[in-house]
Amino acid sequence: MKKSVLAVAIAAAAFAASAASAAQVYDKDGTTLAVGGQIEFMAGNAGNTYFGNKSADATTRDRARLTMAGRTQLTNGIAAYAYNEWQAEHSGTSDEKSDLKARQQYLGVDFGKFGKVQMGRYKDPFVFASSVVDVLDEVGVFGGNDERNSGHLSYMWSGFGFDAGISYQFAEDAYKTDTVGSFDVDSGFSVYAGYTSPAVLFGPISVRAGYLYLKGQDSNDSPTAFGKGSKNKPAVLGYVYDEQGNKSNITGYYSYSVDNLKTIDGSLSWGTNGKGLYLATNYNYAKATLQDGVLSETALGVTLDTTLESIKTKAWETVVTYGFENGIRLGASYHYINTKLTALDGDEDSTQKYVQLIADYNVTPNFKIWAETCIDAGSDDYAQRITNTNFVDENGISTDKDGHNSVMFGARYVF
């Protein structure tokens, strides 16, 4: 592979697997263009969230991505680059129609040792910290607010083992987060920094941290978002006992507009994923301050609406992998996510806990097969099960208690 192709791969680092094997289709007068992508097939058990099928169906998913990465040398030491990634998939259905999603679209200017400026649609560079635990095949970080969004303008620098950057967020509707779902953003910013040491025993040690702030649009301009359940289909939020000891579900929903969202992230890793032993842990704390928040609950025939002030999440995610020289990798992760709703008349919180196990085999640098499972590890009753779809009882009420674990098998070819 020529050096110009490696430069394209660096420019497309957010999708390194495809970029690293992308085929260079043009190279002239300081401009290169590489085309790559992947085709993936997965099969899973009934009720698996990742397939979007009905809860009684065991089914499959096929997914394709196409990437284009270009780079042009402007002057000595300064280059412009651009990256585009589309995705189409069929999940739990054989309908030939499929939406073509713009997964990533960005461009930038690379100043070499002085860093680079990048703008467009991608993961906020704040995820530099949580990326150390996002190394397994399908299921990734759940508490890191690491979704891909548009409207980023970022400056990123690395050198002498250090990494640092700052990013500005322009106004965007339907900005995706892990903490409160999607909401309309007015503005925001993030900063991150980290240091990676030379190899110590079995690999380098990396320490990273980041901070993200997002300001929501005014509630008069931003439509109210619905949280768990909705007015037409409430969810089970918990349960209560009457004086005779009879158990009754607490059903309801919460709706809100976001005033602001603040997220702090920190991580520590040791080793290189896929090469021998690799250890990594990440802690994320996020608080969404709400405007026009309402928590509506019905228990024992009585409905109570109360002011909902904030949503807080605390997530601790740890992963360990071991990569053998023959291409086989074994891995395990533990995920703890606590969500607390703060209202005028008290707090409500629930905790999700699960373990993930994976085994994969890189048959060649282009072709991989894997098996993966998510196992509930003592989540609170009625806490949402990340690993499966919700159970709906005979009354049409959505609950989470009766969920089960998920199992997935997959194969991926990158080109």
Side-chain angles (χ1 to χ4, degrees):
M1 186 177 292
K2 296 181 180 179
K3 291 183 178 179
S4 56
V5 178
L6 292 178
V8 172
I10 294 172
F15 194 56
S18 289
S21 59
Q24 181 175 299
V25 298
Y26 182 85
D27 186 354
K28 185 178 181 181
D29 299 329
T31 296
T32 61
L33 176 65
V35 177
Q38 69 176 49
I39 305 294
E40 180 180 276
F41 175 85
M42 291 182 62
N45 60 325
N48 194 316
T49 303
Y50 292 93
F51 299 90
N53 58 306
K54 297 178 181 179
S55 59
D57 296 338
T59 190
T60 65
R61 183 181 75 186
D62 54 82
R63 180 170 63 187
R65 293 174 183 166
L66 177 64
T67 66
M68 298 178 64
R71 186 178 180 92
T72 297
Q73 203 68 32
L74 301 179
T75 64
N76 186 29
I78 302 177
Y81 63 90
Y83 183 78
N84 194 21
E85 181 182 7
W86 296 282
Q87 175 176 300
E89 67 177 310
H90 296 88
S91 181
T93 177
S94 188
D95 192 339
E96 66 180 16
K97 296 179 180 178
S98 178
D99 292 334
L100 188 64
K101 301 178 181 179
R103 198 165 184 262
Q104 296 185 97
Q105 294 176 328
Y106 59 83
L107 56 87
V109 179
D110 188 345
F111 298 95
K113 64 180 181 180
F114 299 105
K116 61 183 179 179
V117 175
Q118 183 171 294
M119 61 207 77
R121 178 180 180 81
Y122 47 94
K123 289 185 178 182
D124 192 295
F126 155 82
V127 304
F128 176 72
S130 63
S131 63
V132 299
V133 296
D134 192 11
V135 296
L136 302 186
D137 285 300
E138 183 57 28
V139 180
V141 177
F142 275 95
N145 287 323
D146 65 335
E147 303 291 339
R148 293 170 181 83
N149 287 285
S150 301
H152 296 307
L153 174 60
S154 311
Y155 171 74
M156 296 167 281
W157 174 87
S158 73
F160 311 103
F162 292 93
D163 291 89
I166 185 168
S167 186
Y168 178 78
Q169 175 63 48
F170 290 92
E172 295 286 342
D173 291 345
Y175 188 101
K176 295 179 181 180
T177 72
D178 295 319
T179 304
V180 291
S182 298
F183 70 99
D184 296 348
V185 169
D186 177 77
S187 60
F189 73 93
S190 69
V191 293
Y192 73 89
Y195 174 73
T196 302
S197 74
V200 178
L201 297 179
F202 56 85
I205 297 175
S206 182
V207 181
R208 306 180 179 188
Y211 175 79
L212 171 68
Y213 174 85
L214 296 171
K215 182 181 184 301
Q217 294 182 18
D218 185 83
S219 59
N220 294 327
D221 302 322
S222 176
T224 298
F226 286 95
K228 185 177 244 354
S230 68
K231 290 184 178 180
N232 297 323
K233 188 178 181 181
V236 172
L237 303 178
Y239 53 86
V240 66
Y241 292 89
D242 62 18
E243 295 179 354
Q244 288 74 40
N246 298 315
K247 183 179 178 180
S248 175
N249 289 337
I250 302 174
T251 62
Y253 64 89
Y254 53 87
S255 62
Y256 53 82
S257 295
V258 176
D259 182 61
N260 64 73
L261 174 65
K262 302 174 182 177
T263 307
I264 299 173
D265 213 47
S267 66
L268 176 66
S269 67
W270 190 3
T272 301
N273 179 48
K275 297 182 179 180
L277 182 62
Y278 176 76
L279 306 168
T281 188
N282 180 76
Y283 177 78
N284 179 280
Y285 171 80
K287 178 181 179 181
T289 301
L290 308 179
Q291 52 181 323
D292 300 330
V294 175
L295 174 60
S296 181
E297 297 177 297
T298 300
L300 300 176
V302 178
T303 300
L304 175 66
D305 291 341
T306 184
T307 300
L308 185 62
E309 297 181 326
S310 68
I311 300 175
K312 302 176 184 177
T313 58
K314 298 177 181 179
W316 173 47
E317 304 184 69
T318 298
V319 63
V320 56
T321 67
Y322 192 90
F324 297 88
E325 292 184 0
N326 61 3
I328 294 176
R329 184 185 64 149
L330 304 177
S333 64
Y334 175 77
H335 307 258
Y336 171 97
I337 303 172
N338 175 264
T339 302
K340 177 178 287 187
L341 309 179
T342 299
L344 285 179
D345 62 349
D347 298 341
E348 290 190 9
D349 71 303
S350 62
T351 301
Q352 303 154 297
K353 305 173 185 177
Y354 67 99
V355 171
Q356 181 184 4
L357 304 174
I358 66 104
D360 58 30
Y361 175 41
N362 282 292
V363 183
T364 72
N366 297 85
F367 184 61
K368 173 191 281 191
I369 57 176
W370 77 89
E372 184 171 354
T373 182
C374 289
I375 304 169
D376 188 78
S379 299
D380 291 345
D381 285 350
Y382 301 104
Q384 182 181 7
R385 298 296 204 260
I386 296 175
T387 56
N388 58 267
T389 55
N390 294 341
F391 172 81
V392 179
D393 66 19
E394 65 275 9
N395 298 317
I397 300 298
S398 173
T399 73
D400 303 294
K401 181 179 179 181
D402 297 319
H404 55 78
N405 302 316
S406 66
V407 178
M408 295 170 280
F409 301 92
R412 180 184 300 128
Y413 182 89
V414 298
F415 57 90

